[in-house]
Amino acid sequence: MPHRVVVLALDGLLPFELGIPQRIFGRSLGMEPHNRGRKLYEVVTCSVRPPGPVRTDADFTITVEHGPEALATADTVVVPTSYELGPVHTEGRLTDELAAAFALVRPGTRMVSICTGSYVIAAAGYLDGRPATTHWSSADHFQRTFPNVRVDPDVLFIDDGDVLTSAGVAAGIDLCLHIVRRDHGTAVANEIARLTVVPPHRDGGQAQYIHRPVPEPQFATTTSARAWALGRLDRPILLRDMAQQEAMSVRTFTRRFREEVGISPGQWLAQQRVERARQLLESTDLSMDQVARDAGFGTATSLRQHLQAALGVAPTVYRRTFRTTAKQDH
């Protein structure tokens, strides 16, 4: 059966955020021989009230066909942001309607928030003593409202196992793609990203607020250096080599890179190599030594250390989890 994702639509919701789970999870199809073309998720939208209209922050309402009872069927609950949270936002407590709705959620259900939807799952007690993030402009208020939550205002999203939180708006896309990647591997997530025309992977630790997301026309960018590096991940890449691609000093290049990407060149390179290793582990029978060389880690030991740090699993475990051979399928 497809994994059931229930999206909680609250009055004052932002239509963009509400549509993210359907766009990402609802379009995810199996790519292995045993499930090729089959939907991997079933996405259902519900309200805290009986089926009916839900207000948005735009000049239209939406009609939701499911009431709160749908939460009792969820494998994953997603709470997008809302601009009408009332006491959830001002006092950190659930309304009676929300409390009754969350009482229906089964123990062990995965909880996900997009943007300030984090207020709702924090008020429900899911974030006590745990790391979380929210939109950077609300981070200070969120921390004051929920002092038991370990708030990180700088990252795109945080995966804490069965509870995941994202920063504002488009970071919800990054988080949902991350969940697909975690559940079904890189190939499925990359295909959804390609269909959605978004970057296939932005690491959760990347900065929320990038000082120069769109370079000013008169300034040089680091785009060519990044493209050059991606074409030679299997070879040594020095910072000065990347800077030379843009005819910049190392100092200027490093500053410009961080302004445009949100992380340092070294962190970005490590992320790209981890992503390359994941693709090779999923799609090839290469030995660990060869995967390490092709991804630019050099040795299987280095590969193991980087994947363990980034994903919490060893390369062999990752391959066993996400690579289903035809023999295993039969």
Side-chain angles (χ1 to χ4, degrees), residues 172-230:
I173 298 176
D174 296 305
L175 177 55
C176 290
L177 284 171
H178 168 77
I179 292 171
V180 173
R181 188 178 297 107
R182 195 179 93 171
D183 290 350
H184 298 288
T186 299
V188 175
N190 285 356
E191 179 63 13
I192 293 302
R194 188 173 70 86
L195 292 173
T196 312
V197 198
V198 296
H201 181 256
R202 289 201 299 169
D203 187 77
Q206 184 166 323
Q208 280 194 41
Y209 184 74
I210 299 174
H211 293 284
R212 197 184 307 219
V214 180
E216 297 177 35
Q218 66 268 34
F219 287 104
T221 75
T222 62
T223 304
S224 297
R226 278 177 272 150
W228 174 83
L230 287 173

Side-chain angles (χ1 to χ4, degrees), residues 39-101:
K39 283 198 170 187
L40 299 174
Y41 301 91
E42 177 187 15
V43 183
V44 172
T45 304
C46 78
S47 170
V48 293
R49 299 185 298 271
V54 174
R55 294 189 302 275
T56 73
D57 76 326
D59 62 345
F60 57 85
T61 62
I62 63 169
T63 300
V64 176
E65 298 183 358
H66 300 275
E69 65 279 356
L71 293 169
T73 69
D75 299 306
T76 294
V77 171
V78 180
V79 184
T81 191
S82 163
Y83 284 159
E84 298 181 22
L85 292 178
V88 174
H89 186 269
T90 58
E91 304 172 37
R93 65 174 179 86
L94 295 178
T95 62
D96 291 342
E97 279 186 331
L98 274 170

Side-chain angles (χ1 to χ4, degrees), residues 29-40 184 188 329:
L29 303 177
M31 300 182 69
E32 299 289 352
H34 70 289
N35 67 0
R36 187 175 303 278
R38 193 176 303 169
K39 283 198 170 187
L40 299 174
H184 298 288
V188 175
D329 289 334

Side-chain angles (χ1 to χ4, degrees), residues 2 6 58 100 115 131 161 170 187 213 224 263 272 285 299 310 325:
V6 177
C115 194
S224 297
I263 52 178
Q272 304 313 309
D285 291 316
T299 67
T325 65

Side-chain angles (χ1 to χ4, degrees), residues 93-330:
R93 65 174 179 86
L94 295 178
T95 62
D96 291 342
E97 279 186 331
L98 274 170
F102 274 95
L104 300 172
V105 177
R106 296 175 297 177
T109 300
R110 182 165 61 187
M111 304 300 297
V112 177
S113 68
I114 297 176
C115 194
T116 54
S118 54
Y119 278 80
V120 179
I121 64 172
Y126 288 99
L127 293 177
D128 287 349
R130 305 182 77 156
T133 192
T134 191
H135 193 286
W136 60 267
S137 66
S138 298
D140 289 342
H141 180 269
F142 184 78
Q143 184 67 89
R144 292 194 302 271
T145 307
F146 302 104
N148 293 329
V149 181
R150 305 200 308 272
V151 181
D152 187 339
D154 298 323
V155 298
L156 290 179
F157 60 82
I158 290 178
D159 179 345
D160 197 38
D162 59 342
V163 180
L164 302 93
T165 53
S166 80
V169 196
I173 298 176
D174 296 305
L175 177 55
C176 290
L177 284 171
H178 168 77
I179 292 171
V180 173
R181 188 178 297 107
R182 195 179 93 171
D183 290 350
H184 298 288
T186 299
V188 175
N190 285 356
E191 179 63 13
I192 293 302
R194 188 173 70 86
L195 292 173
T196 312
V197 198
V198 296
H201 181 256
R202 289 201 299 169
D203 187 77
Q206 184 166 323
Q208 280 194 41
Y209 184 74
I210 299 174
H211 293 284
R212 197 184 307 219
V214 180
E216 297 177 35
Q218 66 268 34
F219 287 104
T221 75
T222 62
T223 304
S224 297
R226 278 177 272 150
W228 174 83
L230 287 173
R232 50 182 297 127
L233 288 176
D234 58 329
R235 287 170 277 180
I237 299 174
L238 300 177
L239 182 56
R240 68 170 180 267
D241 296 332
M242 294 183 69
Q244 286 175 357
Q245 301 304 308
E246 307 290 1
M248 295 181 189
S249 69
V250 169
R251 182 176 179 180
T252 299
F253 177 82
T254 302
R255 184 183 71 252
R256 189 68 52 80
F257 193 100
R258 189 179 287 275
E259 288 174 347
E260 292 178 7
V261 181
I263 52 178
S264 71
Q267 291 171 314
W268 179 84
L269 270 175
Q271 288 179 6
Q272 304 313 309
R273 284 176 163 148
V274 166
E275 190 67 13
R276 174 63 175 156
R278 292 171 72 160
Q279 294 169 357
L280 293 171
L281 289 169
E282 289 181 29
S283 61
T284 75
D285 291 316
L286 295 174
S287 68
M288 292 302 159
D289 286 330
Q290 187 61 55
V291 170
R293 287 194 293 271
D294 287 358
F297 290 120
T299 67
T301 299
S302 179
L303 168 67
R304 184 167 57 251
Q305 291 171 343
H306 279 84
L307 254 69
Q308 190 72 45
L311 309 177
V313 296
T316 52
V317 175
Y318 186 87
R319 170 173 275 172
R320 189 163 59 245
T321 301
F322 290 110
R323 184 135 200 268
T324 306
T325 65
K327 181 178 180 180
Q328 288 171 327
D329 289 334
H330 291 308

